[in-house]
Amino acid sequence: MATIDITLPDELTQALTPPVCLDLRLPTVDVPTLTLPIGGSLQGIADLTRGIPTSCSMNISIMAQLAPMMASMECLLKILKFFGDLISAPANPPQFIAAFIDGLKALETCTNMVLPTGMFCFVKDLLMLIAAMLLCAVEALESILNILGGLQLSISDAQAAGNTDLLAALQCAQENATTAAEGAMQSLQPIATLLALAGPFISISGHSVSVSIPSAVPATDLAAMQTLLTTIGDVAQALKTIADAIPC
């Protein structure tokens, strides 16, 4: 049989050419650092749960660390500047007093932090944030609870029918759903910790929070999970009611 050579276009030839290792090699990423004015430095964090780290993801991790640190340093920098200006102020008493008064005015926003009125907006937003986080946990747990309830009925039917293959598949799905429920309930602990840390700020604002976030329950106890969800929903609503009453 005769053969005919057909010349393929360059684009098609290139597309059919197997890639070499160089084409598939993943780029190496240098860990970015940021030198801090107070000494030390921040380093990029590789979050392996989000895939292979890249330069962009590493830089974003530094930005996530830097924003709250800069916010917390604002008043500290103002206080240090205040004392620095006093040290370098002229020995002339009138000029020294004028520099002292100007420095106190610059610190006004910082001193408001320890006054009830200065805490109103922060406490209000903080309570609303905690309530929103609780409702997110409720939403996730409700979905898992519905799945577990359906699986429980299906497992009973499979056992009654003697369908061992279906029963094994359903029990595997039940185990995975139980693991997901336990993971979702673990999110309650950091929220409870945040509410406890908020106590001093809430007290300064002149308000009080008497509710507490309940502990996790066994994921195999569907009735206890339902009770937990109802309680968490009530706590979230109570926090929102307190927040709504705070003037801001």
Side-chain angles (χ1 to χ4, degrees):
M1 180 181 294
T3 58
I4 301 175
D5 293 332
I6 300 176
T7 303
L8 298 177
D10 294 340
E11 295 82 359
L12 184 57
T13 301
Q14 184 177 1
L16 295 175
T17 302
V20 296
C21 180
L22 183 63
D23 298 328
L24 302 176
R25 184 173 298 151
L26 296 174
T28 58
V29 179
D30 295 328
V31 178
T33 60
L34 187 145
T35 303
L36 299 176
I38 55 176
S41 62
L42 294 178
Q43 288 190 339
I45 299 174
D47 187 352
L48 298 180
T49 63
R50 297 182 179 273
I52 299 172
T54 64
S55 295
C56 289
S57 66
M58 297 282 272
N59 284 321
I60 289 176
S61 74
I62 286 186
M63 185 174 66
Q65 299 175 69
L66 184 61
M69 188 205 70
M70 292 177 65
S72 65
M73 288 175 60
E74 182 178 355
C75 280
L76 173 61
L77 293 176
K78 287 183 178 180
I79 293 172
L80 292 177
K81 183 179 183 303
F82 171 66
F83 284 109
D85 290 343
L86 290 182
I87 293 173
S88 60
N92 184 287
Q95 294 181 355
F96 181 86
I97 294 174
F100 182 79
I101 294 175
D102 291 341
L104 290 179
K105 290 180 179 179
L107 291 176
E108 183 178 1
T109 56
C110 296
T111 55
N112 284 340
M113 290 175 55
V114 295
L115 299 177
T117 53
M119 283 291 175
F120 283 167
C121 292
F122 173 71
V123 170
K124 184 184 185 75
D125 291 343
L126 182 59
L127 292 178
M128 292 298 289
L129 173 63
I130 295 174
M133 292 169 65
L134 288 175
L135 293 177
C136 287
V138 168
E139 183 178 352
L141 286 169
E142 279 181 343
S143 177
I144 299 172
L145 183 60
N146 291 334
I147 294 174
L148 285 170
L151 286 171
Q152 194 174 66
L153 294 175
S154 299
I155 287 174
S156 298
D157 293 340
Q159 287 174 333
N163 190 335
T164 56
D165 291 338
L166 178 59
L167 179 61
L170 291 172
Q171 288 176 335
C172 179
Q174 184 185 47
E175 182 180 348
N176 289 335
T178 300
T179 301
E182 291 172 348
M185 282 188 285
Q186 286 178 354
S187 66
L188 297 176
Q189 181 57 45
I191 301 175
T193 301
L194 179 60
L195 181 59
L197 292 173
F201 299 94
I202 298 172
S203 298
I204 291 176
S205 70
H207 295 79
S208 63
V209 175
S210 58
V211 297
S212 60
I213 299 174
S215 302
V217 299
T220 53
D221 190 340
L222 301 189
M225 281 187 62
Q226 185 60 62
T227 302
L228 175 67
L229 294 183
T230 301
T231 304
I232 294 175
D234 293 341
V235 171
Q237 187 56 51
L239 293 176
K240 291 177 67 175
T241 300
I242 296 171
D244 289 338
I246 298 177
C248 178

